[in-house]
Amino acid sequence: MIQLEFSGIMHPQQAPYIIRRKRKADLGQFMTPATVARFMASLFPASPLQNCRLLDAGAGMGALCGAFLHRWVTGGFGFASLDVTAYEVDDHLREHLARHLARYNNATSRIIPGDYIQLAAAHGLRNQNYTHVILNPPYKKINSHSAHRLALRRVGIETVNLYSAFVALAVGETAPGGQIVAIIPRSFCNGPYYRPFRDFILARAAIRHMHLFASRNKPFKGDQVLQETIILRLERGGQQGPVTVSTSTDDSFADFAAHEHPFERIVFPSAPERLIHVPTTTAKSTIERLGAVGCSLADLGIQVSTGPVVDFRMKAHLRPMPEAGAVPLIYPVHLRKAGTVWPGAGLKKPNAIMRNPETERWLYPNGFYCVVRRFSSKEEKRRVAASVVDPGTFGRHSVLGFENHVNLFHENKHGLPEALAHGLALFLNTTAVDEQFRRFNGHTQVNATDLKLMKYPSRQVLIQLGMWAMEQETLTQEQMDAKLETLAPQ
């Protein structure tokens, strides 16, 4: 089985064992810098315990448990004894893990070969008396009918990725008061698929610390990391209190900064989705300060959907340019902040789709729509970028196709009032919305579900914003941000 793994192994320049490129690709391993391992070990608080039982459920070559052991032998912990349980499925890595742990002969070490999920779930989800957990779990989606998914369901864990499964099992096996430090993708913070995992963790542990790397690619140089990575410290059975949020650009931690936040800024009490926000400043965001931003899309009578035209499934119906019987097909490349440019000459993407019985169900009536791109590049300044689709752009065409890489706001699959479309686009293009969105979303993606979970001004206020926007000859970022600040509670 291929594992996409944030492996507990040292930086390749420091490691005595260099994984061959093909094997690294097969396992999908991300080399964790030694600086990150040391930082993770430093997050554990001082403990009055005399006996430590440490779990490393995806030990790799032992960089993480090794960093913990190094802190112990250099006086960073006062434990009289330390017992390490390390799971590792890869037999090549286990040889080097054993040699690494053998250096710490004051500790008792046990290396367990095999699949942590299957072995842990076989016990039933119960306390294994681990006092500390340090974890860099594999990253791979779990098929709904896989052996992993079935094993997890038997112990009451419903989740969609190996990394969240590892964390949930580790929390379940940790003793009350035990400390868990894990480096994982930030994707668990939002989205409906991770809601059961968020509920599981928040019911059993307190969040004590979150560390966010500002850069996507610098902490894991050379690896294609497409989402933000977070280091999380949990306390099993702890009483939830303030949360420390720290940031650094990369694994050098040269610009490390930390602030304490009330838990109400991390998980909003009034939000049933239990999104986990990661604020990077103690100041309230513009959206938090504005009482006029508190409506759901349902309150507005608006829906948002992903563009239904999946181009690779409909190749036979696509046309490079408009022709008889074809209608406009809108891709992100057609979208501008000032509107829509169609057709586009010299594009690699088609400009049109044939209208026929096979495509009719995927088409929308021509009208005003607010459209948001689903994808941004890794380090792009803006995550949320909205445009207005103006029916006048498309001449006499009565229907439009929206490709799958865009999200569109609509009213029951029809266009919006013109001013409402412009008001939505203005609001979504403000710096405040982009910053708020980034607090709970660590992807390069903006999915329709994310847009549904956001709060908006009232319909009346959005229409007023739209009318104002339509009166402006040009609309700069500064103008939009300043206009948002003038909103008053309705």
Side-chain angles (χ1 to χ4, degrees):
M1 179 181 61
I2 294 175
Q3 290 192 345
L4 297 178
E5 184 175 354
F6 285 90
S7 238
I9 49 185
M10 293 180 282
H11 191 280
Q13 292 178 344
Q14 298 167 313
Y17 169 58
I18 301 176
I19 297 176
R20 297 190 313 273
R21 180 172 296 181
K22 182 179 185 304
R23 183 161 183 77
K24 180 175 180 286
D26 288 343
L27 295 175
Q29 291 171 320
F30 295 89
M31 301 300 187
T32 302
T35 50
V36 173
R38 290 195 293 268
F39 176 75
M40 291 173 65
S42 77
L43 291 180
F44 289 96
S47 172
L49 295 174
Q50 287 296 298
N51 303 308
C52 170
R53 295 197 68 229
L54 174 68
L55 169 66
D56 187 344
M61 286 173 56
L64 294 181
C65 54
F68 189 97
L69 286 161
H70 180 76
R71 181 180 168 189
W72 175 54
V73 299
T74 55
F77 294 115
F79 310 129
S81 66
L82 199 156
D83 177 78
V84 181
T85 299
Y87 286 80
E88 178 50 53
V89 70
D90 189 320
D91 54 354
H92 295 283
L93 296 181
R94 280 199 302 273
E95 298 173 14
H96 300 277
L97 173 62
R99 285 200 290 269
H100 194 178
L101 292 178
R103 300 172 190 170
Y104 302 95
N105 51 22
N106 292 335
T108 302
S109 300
R110 181 171 59 128
I111 298 175
I112 300 177
D115 186 315
Y116 174 64
I117 291 179
Q118 293 288 0
L119 294 172
H123 304 149
L125 193 63
R126 65 176 186 268
N127 176 9
Q128 298 292 331
N129 292 316
Y130 294 118
T131 61
H132 296 75
V133 177
I134 193 163
L135 189 60
N136 202 345
Y139 175 76
K140 186 185 181 207
K141 289 182 179 179
I142 304 174
N143 185 283
S144 59
H145 302 294
S146 68
H148 280 148
R149 196 69 170 266
L150 297 175
L152 291 165
R153 283 175 180 156
R154 284 196 294 269
V155 293
I157 295 173
E158 190 64 50
T159 192
V160 296
N161 203 295
L162 291 182
Y163 84 80
S164 48
F166 269 60
V167 173
L169 285 167
V171 167
E173 293 195 320
T174 302
Q179 303 291 321
I180 301 104
V181 174
I183 181 168
I184 55 177
R186 191 181 165 187
S187 53
F188 77 95
C189 291
N190 72 306
Y193 295 121
Y194 286 100
R195 169 68 191 274
F197 172 69
R198 293 194 296 272
D199 288 341
F200 183 95
I201 294 300
L202 293 172
R204 291 164 175 80
I207 300 174
R208 297 299 188 211
H209 192 129
M210 295 189 290
H211 180 83
L212 182 66
F213 292 105
S215 171
R216 293 172 185 275
N217 51 13
K218 289 182 180 179
F220 298 95
K221 301 176 185 70
D223 292 310
Q224 297 300 310
V225 180
L226 297 178
Q227 57 179 287
E228 292 172 357
T229 303
I230 196 167
I231 296 173
L232 189 66
R233 178 167 75 86
L234 306 170
E235 181 179 327
R236 178 70 162 99
Q239 184 69 34
Q240 185 64 64
V243 178
T244 298
V245 177
S246 59
T247 59
S248 66
T249 298
D250 55 33
D251 61 291
S252 72
F253 300 96
D255 56 351
F256 178 86
H259 300 284
E260 189 174 85
H261 301 270
F263 185 65
E264 292 72 22
R265 292 197 78 207
I266 307 299
V267 179
F268 294 171
S270 60
E273 302 86 8
R274 309 199 84 187
L275 305 185
I276 296 177
H277 296 75
V278 188
T280 55
T281 174
T282 54
K284 282 191 173 183
S285 69
T286 302
I287 300 298
E288 286 179 288
R289 289 190 289 102
L290 289 175
V293 181
C295 294
S296 67
L297 286 181
D299 296 331
L300 304 179
I302 296 173
Q303 297 83 44
V304 62
S305 303
T306 302
V309 177
V310 181
D311 57 4
F312 67 86
R313 294 176 182 166
M314 308 191 79
K315 283 184 179 180
H317 306 285
L318 305 183
R319 298 293 182 269
M321 292 297 288
E323 62 179 63
V327 300
L329 177 59
I330 300 169
Y331 279 83
V333 71
H334 294 113
L335 304 177
R336 307 286 187 277
K337 187 173 288 189
T340 308
V341 177
W342 184 91
L347 300 180
K348 294 181 180 179
K349 300 294 185 182
N351 281 285
I353 183 170
M354 297 303 295
R355 185 180 187 181
N356 54 46
E358 291 184 56
T359 63
E360 187 70 32
R361 61 182 296 199
W362 308 121
L363 304 178
Y364 281 71
N366 194 4
F368 287 97
Y369 296 91
C370 177
V371 181
V372 175
R373 289 184 300 151
R374 285 184 58 206
F375 295 91
S376 58
S377 62
K378 284 186 182 181
E379 305 297 342
E380 195 166 348
K381 289 184 178 180
R382 291 197 62 83
R383 191 75 51 78
V384 182
S387 304
V388 173
V389 168
D390 186 328
T393 305
F394 309 102
R396 297 182 178 180
H397 288 291
S398 61
V399 293
L400 307 173
F402 291 93
E403 197 270 336
N404 193 246
H405 286 77
V406 302
N407 300 302
L408 64 148
F409 291 85
H410 56 92
E411 286 184 319
N412 297 318
K413 296 192 175 182
H414 288 74
L416 303 171
E418 182 178 5
L420 181 58
H422 281 276
L424 261 176
L426 185 153
F427 173 70
L428 291 167
N429 282 326
T430 59
T431 301
V433 166
D434 198 68
E435 290 176 348
Q436 186 77 357
F437 186 86
R438 289 172 184 267
R439 281 185 47 173
F440 67 84
N441 185 299
H443 294 279
T444 54
Q445 297 182 31
V446 179
N447 293 319
T449 299
D450 300 319
L451 296 170
K452 289 175 187 174
L453 296 176
M454 288 174 51
K455 296 299 182 182
Y456 298 81
S458 69
R459 189 180 176 103
Q460 178 184 354
V461 167
L462 287 171
I463 290 172
Q464 291 171 354
L465 285 175
M467 293 175 65
W468 176 84
M470 292 161 62
E471 294 170 356
Q472 310 307 307
E473 291 186 10
T474 59
L475 199 55
T476 67
Q477 190 67 57
E478 291 74 19
Q479 286 176 303
M480 291 189 290
D481 293 345
K483 187 64 177 177
L484 185 66
E485 290 278 3
T486 68
L487 297 188
Q490 296 297 300

